[in-house]
Each structure stands twice: as C-alpha cells, then as structure tokens.
Amino acid sequence: AQKVTQAQTEISVVEKEDVTLDCVYETRDTTYYLFWYKQPPSGELVFLIRRNSFDEQNEISGRYSWNFQKSTSSFNFTITASQVVDSAVYFCALSEAILTGGGNKLTFGTGTQLKVEL
Amino acid sequence: DAGVTQSPTHLIKTRGQQVTLRCSPKSGHDTVSWYQQALGQGPQFIFQYYEEEERQRGNFPDRFSGHQFPNYSSELNVNALLLGDSALYLCASCRGRETQYFGPGTRLLVL
C-alpha cells in the first residue's frame, strides 16, 4: 500500500526566511510519480510539481525548489525568501505509474500548514 | 481556457438525504476523479471515471456512486447521508493518466 507522511503539521516563519517542507513516502512500486499541491484558504488544490521516480534531478522554479532522494524515500520542498502569499496548506502526494489499465489515484499526506508573517 | 468547475459551491443537507455533486473537467481532459477532504486532513480518493466507466475506486462504501457523461463531465452521488460525510468534495480532471488538476470543491455540511 502507498503512504505519504508529512510530519510537520504547522510551520510559522517570518517573511524572507527560507522554509523546507518535508515529505516521506512508502510504495512497493518501482515506477511512481510524486507531486506537491498548494491549497490556499479558498480550498482549490493548485498543482506545483510532478516528478517521475526515475528522475532524481533536483528542480528549481523561481523561489521554489524540490529535493528528491530515492534512497531515503523523501521529496522535500523548499521555499526561498518566503512571502505572505505563500501562506497555505501544502500537500505531498504519490501515484503509481500504471502503464496499461487501472487508474492513477493520488495518495495524499495530511498536509503542512505554512504561515508566513510580516 | 476554463479550468475544472464544480457545482454547487456549498450545500447543506440533513442525515438520510441524498446529494448530487457535479463536475466539468478542464478542456481537453477525459478523466475525472473525486476526492473527499475532511477538515484538517488530506484528500481521500473516492473513485475515477474514464470513458464513462469507473476505472478505479477507493475505500468508500456503496453509498458513494458516480457517473461520467459523454462530454466527460461527472456526477458524484451520496445516498443516506451521515454526519461524517460532511467534507470538502474535490473533483480533479486529467488527460489519460497525466497530472490531475483540481476544481474549487463543494463544501457539504450534513446536519
């Protein structure tokens, strides 16, 4: 069975600080996808990134960066120079890569509430 | 390009009633998934529809059923509502098995 653990329930930082959100996953599949979604107070989940299990290259997009380490089953997300607009709940998710038949359901962690204050 | 839309935005029902939630996928998407998100929790997968068939189902009772129409839109039906069904119901769409994009959700309150 697949499982995603986000041990940090809530993180508070002051604007311009860097913050890292942790994600640890469990799966028996050799091929899978990892995701991060952002959920602002409005409720809609906003897609941030998708990584294939075969691609361990770290990725940077503006102030966002992701560190994927297969050896420790972790997919951590760092926000550099945080801003108040970054305040939201962030979810890490996992799906198996089905080549034929079957669906691609997402298994989510419990989320990390990030509060960025002035 | 319209994203995923859901209706209604909010709904109040009483125990034992039935409810239908609706979802229109993002343009170009043919697969619709439904998730239930209880307060303070991550979304839980209910089921996924592709080509008007239920392709995958999560651990939810038969009270939860769905349908996908030829235009790829979808409905989620919940019968015999329980207090515990109060949650945010999220619809997500994708093309095939690509990245899922979510709608704004329907907040259901069961009294």
Side-chain angles (χ1 to χ4, degrees), chain A residues 24 66-67 109 111:
Chain A
V24 174
W66 291 270
N67 183 300

PDB file of all heavy atoms in Angstrom, chain A residues 24 66-67 109 111:
ATOM      1  N   VAL A  24       7.848  12.246   3.223  1.00  0.00           N
ATOM      2  CA  VAL A  24       8.410  10.899   3.151  1.00  0.00           C
ATOM      3  C   VAL A  24       7.318   9.978   2.629  1.00  0.00           C
ATOM      4  O   VAL A  24       6.167  10.073   3.030  1.00  0.00           O
ATOM      5  CB  VAL A  24       8.884  10.420   4.547  1.00  0.00           C
ATOM      6  CG1 VAL A  24       9.325   8.967   4.491  1.00  0.00           C
ATOM      7  CG2 VAL A  24      10.016  11.302   5.042  1.00  0.00           C
ATOM      8  N   TRP A  66      12.845  21.643  -5.247  1.00  0.00           N
ATOM      9  CA  TRP A  66      12.443  20.337  -4.755  1.00  0.00           C
ATOM     10  C   TRP A  66      13.648  19.421  -4.738  1.00  0.00           C
ATOM     11  O   TRP A  66      14.447  19.382  -5.678  1.00  0.00           O
ATOM     12  CB  TRP A  66      11.357  19.737  -5.654  1.00  0.00           C
ATOM     13  CG  TRP A  66      10.068  20.458  -5.543  1.00  0.00           C
ATOM     14  CD1 TRP A  66       9.057  20.193  -4.684  1.00  0.00           C
ATOM     15  CD2 TRP A  66       9.647  21.589  -6.317  1.00  0.00           C
ATOM     16  NE1 TRP A  66       8.030  21.079  -4.863  1.00  0.00           N
ATOM     17  CE2 TRP A  66       8.367  21.948  -5.865  1.00  0.00           C
ATOM     18  CE3 TRP A  66      10.232  22.337  -7.345  1.00  0.00           C
ATOM     19  CZ2 TRP A  66       7.652  23.018  -6.403  1.00  0.00           C
ATOM     20  CZ3 TRP A  66       9.524  23.394  -7.883  1.00  0.00           C
ATOM     21  CH2 TRP A  66       8.255  23.728  -7.414  1.00  0.00           C
ATOM     22  N   ASN A  67      13.780  18.652  -3.655  1.00  0.00           N
ATOM     23  CA  ASN A  67      14.879  17.703  -3.470  1.00  0.00           C
ATOM     24  C   ASN A  67      14.303  16.302  -3.363  1.00  0.00           C
ATOM     25  O   ASN A  67      13.633  15.977  -2.374  1.00  0.00           O
ATOM     26  CB  ASN A  67      15.673  18.075  -2.206  1.00  0.00           C
ATOM     27  CG  ASN A  67      16.869  17.177  -1.999  1.00  0.00           C
ATOM     28  OD1 ASN A  67      16.727  15.972  -1.856  1.00  0.00           O
ATOM     29  ND2 ASN A  67      18.052  17.756  -2.021  1.00  0.00           N
ATOM     30  N   GLY A 109      -0.576  13.105   1.666  1.00  0.00           N
ATOM     31  CA  GLY A 109      -0.218  13.239   3.066  1.00  0.00           C
ATOM     32  C   GLY A 109      -1.256  14.094   3.766  1.00  0.00           C
ATOM     33  O   GLY A 109      -2.226  14.542   3.154  1.00  0.00           O
ATOM     34  N   GLY A 111      -0.746  17.008   4.995  1.00  0.00           N
ATOM     35  CA  GLY A 111      -0.525  18.420   4.715  1.00  0.00           C
ATOM     36  C   GLY A 111       0.270  19.148   5.790  1.00  0.00           C
ATOM     37  O   GLY A 111       0.307  18.749   6.959  1.00  0.00           O
TER      38      GLY A 111
END
